[in-house]
Amino acid sequence: MNLYLVRHSDAQRYASGIKDQDRKLTPEGILKTKLMASKWYNFIPSLDYIISSPYIRAQETAKIIFDILKPNNPIILDNSLISGSKTEDVITLVNSIDAENIMLVGHQPDMAEHISVLTTPQNTLEVEFKKTSIAKISYGDKVKKGIGVLEFLVPPYVL
């Protein structure tokens, strides 16, 4: 199984009257996501599912990626990816789906924590995971803590 972890793109700043989960992508965030997803198309051969946090900024990021990468199935929204998510819940989620290539769209600092927990036995990897970055973690079979291979972590400024 291959997991692709993506941090949502640039979103509206916190403002009174707007709940965190309702913040939308900025115009810059929309453009950045389109540009990055069009580049990712070159090194993600196929995608079975995109699973996204239900927060608006993550949903919008997932939808843009969906339109460009055209996965085999509709986007899944799951609370396992909201801010403050636990890696154990993410592992349970992805292992419940029969798929080879799954993309997760979520938030910081959770995504960096997931990478560390999934790839190092003692959760010792410190990762800077910028907005609109992508990471690929591969497994021989099921996703488990500490045994994934981090194949790449690409921040947007590299592409």
Side-chain angles (χ1 to χ4, degrees):
M1 178 183 287
N2 298 305
L3 285 183
Y4 297 92
L5 283 70
V6 174
R7 181 178 175 194
H8 68 77
S9 196
D10 302 317
Q12 295 172 314
R13 294 199 180 275
Y14 292 102
S16 64
I18 298 178
K19 294 179 182 176
D20 181 41
Q21 62 264 28
D22 294 333
R23 294 188 302 129
K24 297 179 179 182
L25 292 181
T26 62
E28 179 183 288
I30 292 168
L31 289 173
K32 188 190 294 184
T33 304
K34 287 179 181 179
L35 177 63
M36 292 302 98
S38 68
K39 303 285 186 186
W40 300 340
Y41 186 82
N42 296 317
F43 55 89
I44 300 176
S46 69
L47 198 56
D48 299 307
Y49 288 95
I50 296 175
I51 306 172
S52 175
S53 159
Y55 288 17
I56 299 301
R57 61 191 179 273
Q59 284 187 55
E60 290 176 334
T61 299
K63 175 69 169 101
I64 293 166
I65 296 167
F66 181 90
D67 290 343
I68 293 170
L69 297 183
K70 302 188 184 332
N72 300 325
N73 297 285
I75 296 170
I76 297 171
L77 302 180
D78 197 280
N79 286 334
S80 298
L81 293 168
I82 64 171
S83 289
S85 63
K86 298 192 179 340
T87 307
E88 292 79 11
D89 295 336
V90 172
I91 292 170
T92 300
L93 170 65
V94 297
N95 283 334
S96 72
I97 297 171
D98 184 22
E100 186 62 31
N101 297 291
I102 298 174
M103 180 176 284
L104 306 175
V105 180
H107 310 276
Q108 268 300 81
D110 308 330
M111 297 308 267
E113 177 74 11
H114 298 330
I115 292 170
S116 182
V117 171
L118 292 169
T119 61
T120 60
Q122 280 79 37
N123 185 17
T124 55
L125 182 64
E126 290 191 32
V127 176
E128 185 175 359
F129 206 64
K130 299 277 190 192
K131 292 176 184 168
T132 329
S133 291
I134 187 169
K136 178 183 180 184
I137 302 172
S138 62
Y139 291 87
D141 191 23
K142 293 284 186 185
V143 174
K144 296 178 187 169
K145 288 167 114 178
I147 65 165
V149 175
L150 179 61
E151 291 194 23
F152 59 75
L153 170 57
V154 183
Y157 59 82
V158 171
L159 297 175

